[in-house]
Amino acid sequence: MLAGAFIGVNIGTALSSMPSPTQVVALLKSQQIRHIRLYDADPAMLAALANSNIHVTVSVPNEQLLAVGQSNATAANWVSRNVLAHLPAVNISSVAVGSEILTSLPNAAPVLLPALRFIHSALVAANLDLQIKVSTPHSSSIILDSFPPSQAFFNRSWEPVIAPILKFLQSTDSYFMLNVYPYYDYMQSNGVVPLDYALFRPLPPNKEAVDSNTLLHYTNVFDAVVDASYFAMAYLNVTNLPVIVMESGWPHKGDSNEPDATVDNANTYNSNLIRHVLNNTGTPKHPGMAVSTYIYELYDEDQRPGAMSEQFWGLFNGDGVPDYTLHLTGSGLVLANDTTNQTYCIAKDGVDEKMLQAALDWACGPGKVECSVLQQGQLCYDPDTVGSHASYAFNAYYHKMGMSAGSCYFNGVAAITTTDPSHDACKFPGSNGKNGTFENGTTLAPSSNSTAGSSGAQRQYYEGAAEIIQLMGALLLLTMLLV
């Protein structure tokens, strides 16, 4: 069911100046984020996600759980308003019912399973149950004695609730949603959990944790917690239920009693987490079994109460400026939020050539990229392919726009990479700090050979440009930082 692992991102909204839904979606597109989790089913956000092909998990907020769990009709109405009304334009792939109910709202535990069943029944009635899965995210704190993982079990007081939920998830071909926070495991361990073990840093063999019952070696907290959930489920005779991690991350700032909430640690954790998940290595108990994970979170939420670190889990601040540069070399075109001069915008492989040509025409025309260097006899003419020429033009536009969010999209045919696409004497803007200059000193001149027309695809690019322009005000700070 979960063929290959993916990385998604949670989108919280407790910001004093929350970006508009259009700005949020532009940022998602520019970062190649294809899976998101919303904590509600906000209609404006879902409208902005229409036709984006981004996979969306919508949520029944905790405050709505009681009503949904007590009435089949209320649940059906919820599905009608928050799911059916947005299909098929929005790619809704799952519904998360509540969030950490057993630990954060235990009085609502009796209605959790009925809510799951009612939501699922409404999807069955709409013939959508195979397309949209239903589950509920749990805190990992419901798992006791999580190390060694083979001895882990669910809090016994919750077994009468958890056991039937697991059977429901199994019978509906769904998955177990788990929130995994090695940061808190490390903070609460009183020095027992080494920082390197929490951050996925390489450990010498003698420092690896070994489960004495299975002799499995654990090199990081994340795998140990996920395996603890597998063993806890097996204790209740559920052995074939996949796990999706709905929240995991690391704060990049904290107060004086949170000394390890730093930019470096957040960068290390999230970069290593992304690489670990996308390598499809699985866990020691289930090697090769995908454990797709949603990073917590897209934006810093400055209105969250509690410790200072609660406000600083984001990859970006509210202006769309990266809080730090993820170290993702070798991990492909995913979450490349590096906005230094070491990122480039290139044409994706395997996309429709007509769409590439339309995007190239737009970049060299209305996009005002100087494309004369792509003409025959010039430094970047070879290789004479649409993809190669488009990569140059996309990258020139991307750097002209200050590498801002949304400026490397081109209707989905472009992607950000950390690999310099320069070749031979053709140096791409941003290469080695150069901005459109070449080895022989030739500079770019305005193009006199634009072929931009007015096809439907090109009209879409005009619309995309308008969206980018809307972003410019909010992203002015980013541009200033990069000049």
Side-chain angles (χ1 to χ4, degrees):
M1 182 181 64
L2 300 172
F6 62 79
I7 285 287
V9 178
N10 289 277
I11 304 179
T13 58
L15 283 75
S16 54
S17 56
M18 179 69 193
S20 71
T22 301
Q23 291 173 322
V24 174
V25 174
L27 180 61
L28 296 173
K29 289 175 177 178
S30 74
Q31 298 301 313
Q32 306 299 311
I33 297 170
R34 291 287 169 242
H35 297 265
I36 63 168
R37 184 263 194 103
L38 306 178
Y39 286 92
D40 51 23
D42 179 65
M45 188 70 224
L46 290 171
L49 286 161
N51 304 311
S52 66
N53 202 34
I54 294 172
H55 297 257
V56 181
T57 294
V58 295
S59 301
V60 177
N62 286 1
E63 59 268 22
Q64 297 178 19
L65 180 69
L66 198 61
V68 168
Q70 288 183 320
S71 165
N72 200 353
T74 300
N77 184 46
W78 192 96
V79 169
S80 177
R81 286 185 292 106
N82 298 297
V83 178
L84 303 185
H86 301 284
L87 300 177
V90 182
N91 187 2
I92 297 175
S93 55
S94 61
V95 178
V97 179
S99 178
E100 299 189 342
I101 292 299
L102 302 186
T103 48
S104 65
L105 198 62
N107 289 342
V111 299
L112 182 54
L113 180 58
L116 289 165
R117 284 178 170 156
F118 290 157
I119 294 288
H120 181 256
S121 294
L123 293 171
V124 170
N127 199 28
L128 291 169
D129 54 302
L130 298 181
Q131 173 186 336
I132 302 174
K133 298 302 175 182
V134 182
S135 189
T136 182
H138 295 285
S139 165
S140 62
S141 65
I142 67 170
I143 303 169
L144 304 184
D145 289 349
S146 58
F147 202 90
S150 61
Q151 293 182 4
F153 57 93
F154 292 115
N155 186 323
R156 296 277 159 74
S157 63
W158 289 121
E159 277 187 14
V161 176
I162 293 172
I165 286 177
L166 294 177
K167 297 297 184 184
F168 164 82
L169 298 175
Q170 197 173 41
S171 68
T172 57
D173 197 28
S174 188
Y175 28 76
F176 185 69
M177 291 179 169
L178 183 68
N179 295 343
V180 179
Y181 284 106
Y183 172 73
Y184 290 124
D185 292 322
Y186 163 73
M187 288 285 288
Q188 296 164 7
S189 74
N190 295 318
V192 174
V193 174
L195 180 61
D196 286 349
Y197 183 57
L199 292 172
F200 292 93
R201 284 182 177 145
L203 299 173
N206 64 324
K207 295 291 186 181
E208 294 178 359
V210 180
D211 187 321
S212 58
N213 299 312
T214 62
L215 301 184
L216 294 173
H217 287 237
Y218 288 88
T219 61
N220 60 81
V221 174
F222 181 89
D223 282 351
V225 174
V226 173
D227 270 2
S229 71
Y230 285 133
F231 279 106
M233 287 190 282
Y235 185 83
L236 297 178
N237 298 314
V238 175
T239 58
N240 59 346
L241 192 59
V243 170
I244 282 191
V245 175
M246 293 304 292
E247 294 179 13
S248 193
W250 197 282
H252 59 86
K253 185 177 180 180
D255 54 31
S256 58
N257 64 349
E258 299 174 295
D260 295 295
T262 66
V263 165
D264 184 59
N265 287 343
N267 192 340
T268 298
Y269 180 81
N270 282 325
S271 296
N272 287 339
L273 171 66
I274 292 168
R275 191 174 297 110
H276 182 69
V277 169
L278 295 182
N279 282 344
N280 286 304
T281 51
T283 64
K285 178 172 170 57
H286 289 302
M289 182 182 288
V291 184
S292 295
T293 300
Y294 292 79
I295 292 176
Y296 185 85
E297 56 184 332
L298 185 63
Y299 294 113
D300 288 334
E301 294 185 275
D302 62 345
Q303 293 188 325
R304 286 188 63 85
M308 180 189 291
S309 63
E310 286 292 325
Q311 301 177 18
F312 296 103
W313 287 79
L315 298 172
F316 298 85
N317 68 22
D319 291 324
V321 179
D323 288 314
Y324 48 86
T325 299
L326 289 169
H327 299 316
L328 291 180
T329 304
S331 288
L333 303 171
V334 179
L335 279 175
N337 75 340
D338 186 343
T339 55
T340 69
N341 277 345
Q342 303 308 309
T343 55
Y344 310 88
C345 179
I346 61 172
K348 286 183 182 177
D349 291 330
V351 296
D352 183 79
E353 190 165 304
K354 290 182 180 178
M355 292 184 67
L356 265 185
Q357 183 66 58
L360 172 60
D361 293 344
W362 183 88
C364 293
K368 301 190 184 315
V369 169
E370 297 171 344
C371 293
S372 62
V373 74
L374 300 175
Q375 295 177 14
Q376 190 167 4
Q378 298 300 310
L379 289 170
C380 294
Y381 175 73
D382 290 320
D384 181 20
T385 65
V386 175
S388 177
H389 287 191
S391 287
Y392 180 86
F394 293 173
N395 185 67
Y397 181 83
Y398 173 62
H399 280 267
K400 184 164 76 82
M401 300 302 291
M403 295 175 285
S404 58
S407 62
C408 181
Y409 179 58
F410 294 96
N411 211 31
V413 298
I416 293 172
T417 181
T418 54
T419 302
D420 187 348
S422 301
H423 53 87
D424 302 319
C426 177
K427 294 296 181 187
F428 277 49
S431 176
N432 298 323
K434 298 182 177 67
N435 191 19
T437 59
F438 299 88
E439 290 180 347
N440 67 356
T442 304
T443 58
L444 301 185
S447 170
S448 60
N449 191 30
S450 170
T451 57
S454 58
S455 67
Q458 287 160 317
R459 283 196 297 275
Q460 287 180 302
Y461 290 112
Y462 282 103
E463 293 165 5
E467 181 176 274
I468 292 167
I469 290 168
Q470 286 178 343
L471 277 168
M472 288 303 101
L475 295 169
L476 180 59
L477 175 59
L478 174 58
T479 305
M480 292 171 61
L481 288 172
L482 294 167
V483 170

